[in-house]
Amino acid sequence: MNAKHSPQDTPRRRRRLRFFAGFRNNFLTGLVVVAPIAVTIWLIWTFVGWIDSWVLPFVPKSYHPDMLIQRYLGDKEWFIAVFGENVTVNIRGLGVVIFLVFTILVGWIAKGILGRQFIAWGERLVDRMPVVRSLYNGIKQIAETVFQQTETKFDKACLVEYPRKGIWAIAFISTNAKGEIDQRIPVDEELVSVFLPTTPNPTSGFLLFVPRHSVIELDMSVEDAAKLVISAGLVYPNKKDTVSDEGGTPLPKPGT
């Protein structure tokens, strides 16, 4: 026999549904706020720990943060009351500080005459090692491109037709094609090298050499274009440029 609900049950049930709907919405809103912060903190914490794991083995054990704390604070009454006896306090970041100081010191030395001579001597020594030579030269070229030659960095986002005509993909303009690449490609116009990233990992992708007329430069920044690639098109950076249903004017198409 089916139970009948009284008229008083309907408002009560609606209030209950509204309560659970509000609880769910609050949880999702909080998750949107907390998740990026938590992931960012976790990535920083993990990266700092990774640097420490590489650097701290070169530091004497007696100078590690946990040993220094135990040496100078381990017998203090307030420290024992708060943390207990024979406690190990894990403090991250010392390796990062040592790495930064060491890198700055090496850069300062490398600018001097003796430093340049020492580096040249070391590179001549590396050039005599077949496998090490290729690995070192490749990493050095990448490092110089990323950290020193700012004029060759990705400074413009663009659209290219890939993987076939009529399908457009976001890419980043690198440089003009040079040397044998420019000479071998049978095109009677300027060639541009572009990097076409993949979704959702923009650090991998394809290097393409395309004619200048096939590249459509975008006004959006490289950072905004990267966001669009990483989000698989869900995060559109230039909302003001989109066509509005309420009287907005679309951007003109190329060639119109």
Side-chain angles (χ1 to χ4, degrees), residues 27 33 44 59 94 144 171 188 200 252 255:
F27 172 76
V33 175
I44 295 175
V59 179
L94 178 63
E144 289 178 346
D188 295 331

Side-chain angles (χ1 to χ4, degrees), residues 11 27 30-31 46 51 59 81 89-90 96 109 117 119 121 136 139 152 160 175 189 202 208 214 222-223 240 242 247:
F27 172 76
L31 190 62
T46 304
I51 295 294
V59 179
V89 180
N90 183 15
V96 176
I109 295 175
Q117 292 179 350
I119 292 175
W121 174 80
Y136 172 79
I139 296 176
T152 60
V160 294
T175 59
E189 66 173 293
L208 307 178
S214 300
V222 173
E223 291 77 12
K240 62 181 180 181
T242 56

Side-chain angles (χ1 to χ4, degrees), residues 11-256:
R12 188 182 307 168
R13 205 178 333 160
R14 289 177 180 174
R15 287 195 299 269
R16 189 181 306 165
L17 292 177
R18 283 198 299 268
F19 170 78
F20 284 111
F23 179 81
R24 182 195 62 186
N25 293 336
N26 292 337
F27 172 76
L28 294 178
T29 303
L31 190 62
V32 170
V33 175
V34 172
I37 298 176
V39 173
T40 301
I41 294 175
W42 177 78
L43 288 175
I44 295 175
W45 181 265
T46 304
F47 177 76
V48 171
W50 179 72
I51 295 294
D52 286 351
S53 66
W54 278 89
V55 176
L56 289 182
F58 297 97
V59 179
K61 185 70 174 178
S62 58
Y63 291 100
H64 286 201
D66 53 345
M67 299 299 296
L68 293 175
I69 291 176
Q70 190 65 32
R71 183 188 307 166
Y72 294 105
L73 300 177
D75 57 348
K76 304 294 183 181
E77 294 183 359
W78 65 267
F79 185 84
I80 297 176
V82 174
F83 298 100
E85 296 182 356
N86 298 325
V87 64
T88 300
V89 180
N90 183 15
I91 299 180
R92 297 196 177 193
L94 178 63
V96 176
V97 174
I98 295 175
F99 175 76
L100 291 176
V101 173
F102 175 77
T103 305
I104 293 173
L105 181 62
V106 170
W108 176 72
I109 295 175
K111 290 182 178 180
I113 298 177
L114 294 178
R116 289 197 296 267
Q117 292 179 350
F118 181 77
I119 292 175
W121 174 80
E123 289 182 345
R124 287 195 299 268
L125 182 63
V126 171
D127 286 339
R128 300 176 183 176
M129 307 176 185
V131 178
V132 178
R133 174 182 57 200
S134 301
L135 182 62
Y136 172 79
N137 290 333
I139 296 176
K140 180 184 177 182
Q141 186 174 4
I142 294 175
E144 289 178 346
T145 301
V146 173
F147 297 110
Q148 292 184 1
Q149 300 178 5
T150 56
E151 68 275 7
T152 60
K153 69 179 182 180
F154 298 140
D155 57 359
K156 202 72 176 177
C158 67
L159 291 173
V160 294
E161 287 185 293
Y162 184 87
R164 63 173 175 82
K165 288 284 187 180
I167 297 180
W168 294 87
I170 289 181
F172 303 115
I173 297 178
S174 177
T175 59
N176 294 333
K178 302 176 183 178
E180 185 179 3
I181 299 295
D182 186 37
Q183 297 173 3
R184 294 282 185 171
I185 297 179
V187 176
D188 295 331
E189 66 173 293
E190 185 181 33
L191 291 171
V192 180
S193 59
V194 299
F195 175 72
L196 192 148
T198 56
T199 301
N201 179 18
T203 59
S204 63
F206 306 95
L207 176 62
L208 307 178
F209 297 95
V210 296
R212 171 66 70 174
H213 80 273
S214 300
V215 176
I216 300 177
E217 295 186 1
L218 299 175
D219 293 331
M220 70 174 65
S221 64
V222 173
E223 291 77 12
D224 288 340
K227 293 178 184 177
L228 189 60
V229 173
I230 294 173
S231 66
L234 297 178
V235 178
Y236 193 89
N238 294 346
K239 293 184 179 180
K240 62 181 180 181
D241 295 336
T242 56
V243 178
S244 173
D245 295 334
E246 302 173 357
T249 304
L251 290 172
K253 294 284 187 180
T256 60

